[in-house]
Amino acid sequence: MSTRSPRSGPRVGLLLTGILLVCGACGGGGAPPDYTAEELEAAKARLRDHARLRTFETGKVFGDEWVARAPHDAELRGLYAYQLVGWGLSREVHEQADAILADDPDDPWGLYTKAYALLVEGEAKPAHEMALKAWEASPRPEFAFLYIQALRRDDFEAAREFLEALDEESRATPEVFRMKAELESQARYELQDPTWADSSRATWTEFGEMFPDHVLGYMRLANEAYNARRMDEWTPLMEAALDLAPGSMEVRRQHWRGLWMSELLPREERHPAVEASMGAFREASPETLRGLNGMASMYREMDDEESAAELEARVVERDPGSYHASMVYLAEMRGEDEKLYELREEHGEDSPEYRAQLAVVRDAVHDYLDRPLYGDTYKGGAYINLYSALKAMDPVPAEELAEAIRGMVEYERLNPHITYGDAPLAMIDHTPYALEAADLVREGVPIMLERVMESRDFYDTEGEFDQALRGALSGIYDVIGWAHFKAGRTEDGRHTIERALAIADRNRDARYHLGQVYEQLAAEREEEGDAEAVTEWLDQAEDSYIAGFGAGRGENPNETALEALYERRNGGREGIEEYLATLDERDRIRRRERILESRVEAAGTYEPFHLARLDGELVDSADLEGKIAVLHFWGTWCGPCVVEMPEYQKFDERYREDPEVRVVSISNDRTNDVIEEYLAKNNFDFTVLVDDDYVDRAGVNAWPTTWFVDPDGYVQFVKIGTALKLDEEFSWRVEAIREDTTSP
């Protein structure tokens, strides 16, 4: 792999450009260009300036003109393509790459541009392979930057090794030096070492000192300050960025959100301040679709729907088939889906308001799909919205649901567990296409397993990863077996579902499905008059439901099936409560055993903290020494966190007066206002500490997460995700630690 200096090429490129321009002007190859070599080089320099300042709005307008004037200059097209990347216009970036490569299939600028088009579309592997070819053909800093940018998404360690192998001159260019900071930021997650955040911050600071005319250094440090709520640092950094690039939408968006979301200004002054910044942006930048869309998006964040709609209407009117018009259509569709969620939370799924909104969502998705869309990127999400709405209808429209699922299979790539798991189940249960559903699952097996393998680093132990892999395989067999059963192939269904349970015996859906199969076999034996076989099959059905009963209540289908089976066998519901009560106790015993078995094998201490309460009082983690501490990480933005907060409030109240126990929650919401409003609305009064980037330093990357710490400061239990019965299950952990502490 070559690691030559990227500065060894430009002089040659400039000389060749001059020669070609002279030849083009003197030869017989057509009309001479309407620009000089110096003007062309100045145009390229201006495009680089726009990249340096992130002023993509002006950069695209300028590039449009120059590419029309010098269509065969590969470097110009490549620099122009970077402006298009800033707009998210993958199709147009592809067009620029194809135009360059049509003249020369090996042109490094063409390879670079094609790599960028692939990266914008999320195709990291082919992107870094293409970028490497560009770098090896012409080691320029732009090519090294793109290679590292794409490679780090696919192979973080390889990206670091490439960076370290570059010579000193290459590493000192702004493009490559930027990637040093980006990789250090990524390292805190990849290497699970929060100290890399400090390294990244230091590198960005050095970047700003080395390249004071590059706006990105100020933006990154300002974002760091904003996330840590250090607004005294944020303000001068943003002012420096705005002085450099008053017409940059990226800079302005960061400025607007800081003004609106932080406590820098009184609430009544925030909207006028954002609008004043918008006015300055309009003066500094030409009116573009990207700019209009960015301002509209900010207006929506400020709940100014009228202003947002006005700007979005202008986007659609100017170019209804554009990328940004498609973003408007997407926002409209998502808005109806968000209303559905709000109505469910407010009124419940059985309410007439919620039921009516299901049809609105269905129509909104069809409207979106009928629009002149820029591309297919968001169609998968649209079909998921459509599928979810149709599945919740009563009755379920079978043919529409089947078409929605087929659309998911064609376009959806982000949620294979839905596309190849939940959706085929719904197709089996609500349509006549059970065997088609089985084929869909088989088609999705490589995708689902690949997704599980990609998540390997999220598991702390091999056992946890093995459990996840078994769960995925079990789910695949379960759906295929259920499809066979519903298609009338009872024995095939039974054997396949039994195989699913042999892989993962806690698969509650498979337990339910197998119970249904056994009941069907009992019905068949009943027709044959074989009473003994009927009893045996019903006993097996009951055992299957009971085994699945302890896997989780709520929406657990085993509970309903078990009650129905009890009524069938006993001719009514008399005595059912006593029967179910014994099952509850059995379930409770099983859960407690599993929780106590989950104690951390090699307990360690945690990152100390000094965090402020909502009232400003500082809490030092040293104050928790000598007590059993429960540290609960959450946020109002986290759906699972919010669901279990009533139970968390009960748990907090249980130990509030206990002198040996301290229960503390740490929220990483953006503002105190959000937290206070949420607590007041729900009448919660548990202790909340405000995150100051502590979650990054401590390595917390999933919500909710809860640590159970012994009096010596060692984390004995870690719970990631929601609990089935939080108050009860958290208490078991606390009392287990207390018992260990007090035991002689």
Side-chain angles (χ1 to χ4, degrees), residues 493-519:
R494 176 168 74 91
H495 293 308
T496 307
I497 298 172
E498 286 175 345
R499 184 176 299 176
L501 287 167
I503 297 171
D505 64 355
R506 293 181 181 177
N507 184 334
R508 73 175 192 182
D509 290 333
R511 288 288 179 191
Y512 165 71
H513 292 148
L514 190 58
Q516 293 286 289
V517 172
Y518 289 156
E519 287 201 56

Short mmCIF file of all heavy atoms in Angstrom, two decimals, residues 493-519:
data_model
loop_
_atom_site.label_atom_id
_atom_site.label_comp_id
_atom_site.label_asym_id
_atom_site.label_seq_id
_atom_site.Cartn_x
_atom_site.Cartn_y
_atom_site.Cartn_z
N GLY A 493 -45.06 -28.93 10.85
CA GLY A 493 -45.03 -27.80 11.77
C GLY A 493 -44.55 -28.20 13.15
O GLY A 493 -43.73 -27.51 13.77
N ARG A 494 -45.05 -29.32 13.65
CA ARG A 494 -44.66 -29.77 15.00
C ARG A 494 -43.17 -30.02 15.09
O ARG A 494 -42.50 -29.54 16.01
CB ARG A 494 -45.43 -31.05 15.37
CG ARG A 494 -45.00 -31.61 16.73
CD ARG A 494 -45.97 -32.68 17.20
NE ARG A 494 -45.83 -33.93 16.48
CZ ARG A 494 -45.03 -34.93 16.85
NH1 ARG A 494 -44.26 -34.80 17.93
NH2 ARG A 494 -45.00 -36.06 16.16
N HIS A 495 -42.62 -30.77 14.15
CA HIS A 495 -41.21 -31.11 14.22
C HIS A 495 -40.32 -29.87 14.10
O HIS A 495 -39.29 -29.76 14.77
CB HIS A 495 -40.85 -32.12 13.13
CG HIS A 495 -41.49 -33.46 13.33
ND1 HIS A 495 -41.39 -34.16 14.51
CD2 HIS A 495 -42.24 -34.24 12.48
CE1 HIS A 495 -42.05 -35.31 14.40
NE2 HIS A 495 -42.58 -35.38 13.19
N THR A 496 -40.72 -28.92 13.27
CA THR A 496 -39.90 -27.72 13.08
C THR A 496 -39.95 -26.82 14.31
O THR A 496 -38.92 -26.27 14.73
CB THR A 496 -40.39 -26.93 11.84
OG1 THR A 496 -40.43 -27.81 10.71
CG2 THR A 496 -39.44 -25.78 11.53
N ILE A 497 -41.12 -26.69 14.93
CA ILE A 497 -41.21 -25.86 16.14
C ILE A 497 -40.49 -26.54 17.31
O ILE A 497 -39.85 -25.86 18.13
CB ILE A 497 -42.68 -25.58 16.49
CG1 ILE A 497 -43.36 -24.78 15.36
CG2 ILE A 497 -42.78 -24.79 17.79
CD1 ILE A 497 -44.85 -24.61 15.52
N GLU A 498 -40.57 -27.85 17.39
CA GLU A 498 -39.83 -28.56 18.44
C GLU A 498 -38.32 -28.35 18.26
O GLU A 498 -37.57 -28.24 19.23
CB GLU A 498 -40.18 -30.05 18.41
CG GLU A 498 -41.56 -30.35 18.98
CD GLU A 498 -41.95 -31.81 18.85
OE1 GLU A 498 -41.29 -32.53 18.07
OE2 GLU A 498 -42.93 -32.24 19.50
N ARG A 499 -37.89 -28.25 17.00
CA ARG A 499 -36.48 -27.96 16.75
C ARG A 499 -36.13 -26.55 17.22
O ARG A 499 -35.05 -26.31 17.76
CB ARG A 499 -36.18 -28.11 15.26
CG ARG A 499 -34.71 -27.93 14.91
CD ARG A 499 -34.47 -28.18 13.42
NE ARG A 499 -34.82 -29.53 13.04
CZ ARG A 499 -34.78 -29.98 11.79
NH1 ARG A 499 -34.42 -29.16 10.82
NH2 ARG A 499 -35.10 -31.22 11.52
N ALA A 500 -37.07 -25.62 17.03
CA ALA A 500 -36.85 -24.25 17.51
C ALA A 500 -36.63 -24.23 19.01
O ALA A 500 -35.75 -23.52 19.52
CB ALA A 500 -38.04 -23.37 17.13
N LEU A 501 -37.40 -25.02 19.74
CA LEU A 501 -37.28 -25.06 21.20
C LEU A 501 -36.06 -25.84 21.65
O LEU A 501 -35.52 -25.59 22.74
CB LEU A 501 -38.55 -25.64 21.81
CG LEU A 501 -39.75 -24.70 21.75
CD1 LEU A 501 -41.04 -25.43 22.07
CD2 LEU A 501 -39.54 -23.53 22.71
N ALA A 502 -35.60 -26.77 20.84
CA ALA A 502 -34.36 -27.47 21.18
C ALA A 502 -33.18 -26.51 21.13
O ALA A 502 -32.20 -26.67 21.86
CB ALA A 502 -34.14 -28.64 20.22
N ILE A 503 -33.29 -25.48 20.30
CA ILE A 503 -32.21 -24.48 20.18
C ILE A 503 -32.30 -23.45 21.31
O ILE A 503 -31.29 -23.07 21.90
CB ILE A 503 -32.29 -23.78 18.81
CG1 ILE A 503 -32.05 -24.79 17.69
CG2 ILE A 503 -31.29 -22.63 18.73
CD1 ILE A 503 -32.31 -24.25 16.31
N ALA A 504 -33.52 -23.00 21.61
CA ALA A 504 -33.72 -21.99 22.67
C ALA A 504 -35.04 -22.29 23.35
O ALA A 504 -36.10 -21.93 22.83
CB ALA A 504 -33.72 -20.58 22.08
N ASP A 505 -34.98 -22.92 24.52
CA ASP A 505 -36.21 -23.41 25.15
C ASP A 505 -37.04 -22.31 25.80
O ASP A 505 -38.14 -22.57 26.30
CB ASP A 505 -35.90 -24.51 26.16
CG ASP A 505 -35.07 -24.01 27.32
OD1 ASP A 505 -34.64 -22.84 27.31
OD2 ASP A 505 -34.82 -24.81 28.25
N ARG A 506 -36.54 -21.04 25.84
CA ARG A 506 -37.31 -19.95 26.43
C ARG A 506 -38.01 -19.10 25.37
O ARG A 506 -38.47 -18.00 25.67
CB ARG A 506 -36.40 -19.06 27.28
CG ARG A 506 -35.86 -19.78 28.52
CD ARG A 506 -34.99 -18.87 29.36
NE ARG A 506 -34.45 -19.56 30.52
CZ ARG A 506 -33.62 -19.01 31.39
NH1 ARG A 506 -33.21 -17.76 31.21
NH2 ARG A 506 -33.17 -19.70 32.41
N ASN A 507 -38.09 -19.61 24.17
CA ASN A 507 -38.78 -18.89 23.10
C ASN A 507 -40.28 -18.97 23.35
O ASN A 507 -40.92 -19.98 23.10
CB ASN A 507 -38.42 -19.52 21.75
CG ASN A 507 -39.02 -18.77 20.58
OD1 ASN A 507 -40.04 -18.10 20.69
ND2 ASN A 507 -38.37 -18.90 19.43
N ARG A 508 -40.86 -17.89 23.87
CA ARG A 508 -42.26 -17.95 24.31
C ARG A 508 -43.21 -18.10 23.13
O ARG A 508 -44.25 -18.75 23.25
CB ARG A 508 -42.62 -16.70 25.12
CG ARG A 508 -42.77 -15.43 24.32
CD ARG A 508 -43.25 -14.30 25.17
NE ARG A 508 -43.66 -13.17 24.35
CZ ARG A 508 -44.10 -12.02 24.84
NH1 ARG A 508 -44.17 -11.85 26.13
NH2 ARG A 508 -44.47 -11.05 24.04
N ASP A 509 -42.86 -17.49 21.98
CA ASP A 509 -43.73 -17.64 20.81
C ASP A 509 -43.75 -19.09 20.34
O ASP A 509 -44.81 -19.62 19.96
CB ASP A 509 -43.26 -16.72 19.68
CG ASP A 509 -43.50 -15.25 19.99
OD1 ASP A 509 -44.44 -14.96 20.77
OD2 ASP A 509 -42.76 -14.39 19.48
N ALA A 510 -42.58 -19.71 20.35
CA ALA A 510 -42.53 -21.12 19.94
C ALA A 510 -43.30 -21.99 20.93
O ALA A 510 -43.96 -22.96 20.53
CB ALA A 510 -41.08 -21.58 19.84
N ARG A 511 -43.24 -21.66 22.22
CA ARG A 511 -44.03 -22.41 23.22
C ARG A 511 -45.52 -22.29 22.92
O ARG A 511 -46.27 -23.27 22.99
CB ARG A 511 -43.73 -21.86 24.62
CG ARG A 511 -42.36 -22.19 25.16
CD ARG A 511 -42.26 -23.65 25.52
NE ARG A 511 -40.94 -24.00 26.03
CZ ARG A 511 -40.53 -25.23 26.21
NH1 ARG A 511 -41.32 -26.25 25.92
NH2 ARG A 511 -39.32 -25.48 26.69
N TYR A 512 -45.94 -21.09 22.61
CA TYR A 512 -47.36 -20.89 22.29
C TYR A 512 -47.74 -21.66 21.02
O TYR A 512 -48.77 -22.35 20.97
CB TYR A 512 -47.64 -19.40 22.11
CG TYR A 512 -48.96 -19.10 21.45
CD1 TYR A 512 -50.16 -19.32 22.11
CD2 TYR A 512 -49.00 -18.63 20.13
CE1 TYR A 512 -51.38 -19.06 21.50
CE2 TYR A 512 -50.21 -18.37 19.51
CZ TYR A 512 -51.40 -18.59 20.19
OH TYR A 512 -52.60 -18.35 19.57
N HIS A 513 -46.92 -21.52 19.98
CA HIS A 513 -47.24 -22.18 18.72
C HIS A 513 -47.27 -23.71 18.88
O HIS A 513 -48.14 -24.39 18.33
CB HIS A 513 -46.21 -21.79 17.64
CG HIS A 513 -46.30 -20.37 17.23
ND1 HIS A 513 -45.20 -19.63 16.82
CD2 HIS A 513 -47.36 -19.52 17.17
CE1 HIS A 513 -45.58 -18.41 16.52
NE2 HIS A 513 -46.89 -18.31 16.72
N LEU A 514 -46.33 -24.24 19.66
CA LEU A 514 -46.31 -25.68 19.85
C LEU A 514 -47.53 -26.14 20.64
O LEU A 514 -48.12 -27.19 20.34
CB LEU A 514 -45.02 -26.10 20.58
CG LEU A 514 -44.76 -27.60 20.65
CD1 LEU A 514 -44.69 -28.20 19.25
CD2 LEU A 514 -43.47 -27.88 21.42
N GLY A 515 -47.95 -25.31 21.61
CA GLY A 515 -49.17 -25.64 22.34
C GLY A 515 -50.37 -25.70 21.41
O GLY A 515 -51.24 -26.59 21.54
N GLN A 516 -50.44 -24.76 20.47
CA GLN A 516 -51.53 -24.76 19.50
C GLN A 516 -51.49 -26.01 18.61
O GLN A 516 -52.54 -26.61 18.30
CB GLN A 516 -51.44 -23.51 18.63
CG GLN A 516 -51.70 -22.22 19.38
CD GLN A 516 -53.17 -22.03 19.71
OE1 GLN A 516 -54.00 -21.77 18.85
NE2 GLN A 516 -53.50 -22.16 20.99
N VAL A 517 -50.29 -26.41 18.23
CA VAL A 517 -50.15 -27.63 17.42
C VAL A 517 -50.64 -28.84 18.21
O VAL A 517 -51.38 -29.69 17.70
CB VAL A 517 -48.68 -27.82 17.00
CG1 VAL A 517 -48.49 -29.19 16.33
CG2 VAL A 517 -48.24 -26.71 16.04
N TYR A 518 -50.24 -28.92 19.47
CA TYR A 518 -50.66 -30.06 20.30
C TYR A 518 -52.18 -30.08 20.48
O TYR A 518 -52.80 -31.16 20.49
CB TYR A 518 -49.99 -29.98 21.68
CG TYR A 518 -48.50 -30.26 21.66
CD1 TYR A 518 -47.68 -29.76 22.68
CD2 TYR A 518 -47.91 -31.01 20.66
CE1 TYR A 518 -46.31 -30.02 22.69
CE2 TYR A 518 -46.55 -31.27 20.65
CZ TYR A 518 -45.76 -30.76 21.67
OH TYR A 518 -44.41 -31.02 21.67
N GLU A 519 -52.77 -28.90 20.61
CA GLU A 519 -54.24 -28.86 20.74
C GLU A 519 -54.90 -29.35 19.45
O GLU A 519 -55.94 -30.02 19.48
CB GLU A 519 -54.71 -27.45 21.08
CG GLU A 519 -54.42 -27.02 22.52
CD GLU A 519 -55.31 -25.88 22.96
OE1 GLU A 519 -56.55 -26.03 22.89
OE2 GLU A 519 -54.76 -24.82 23.38
#
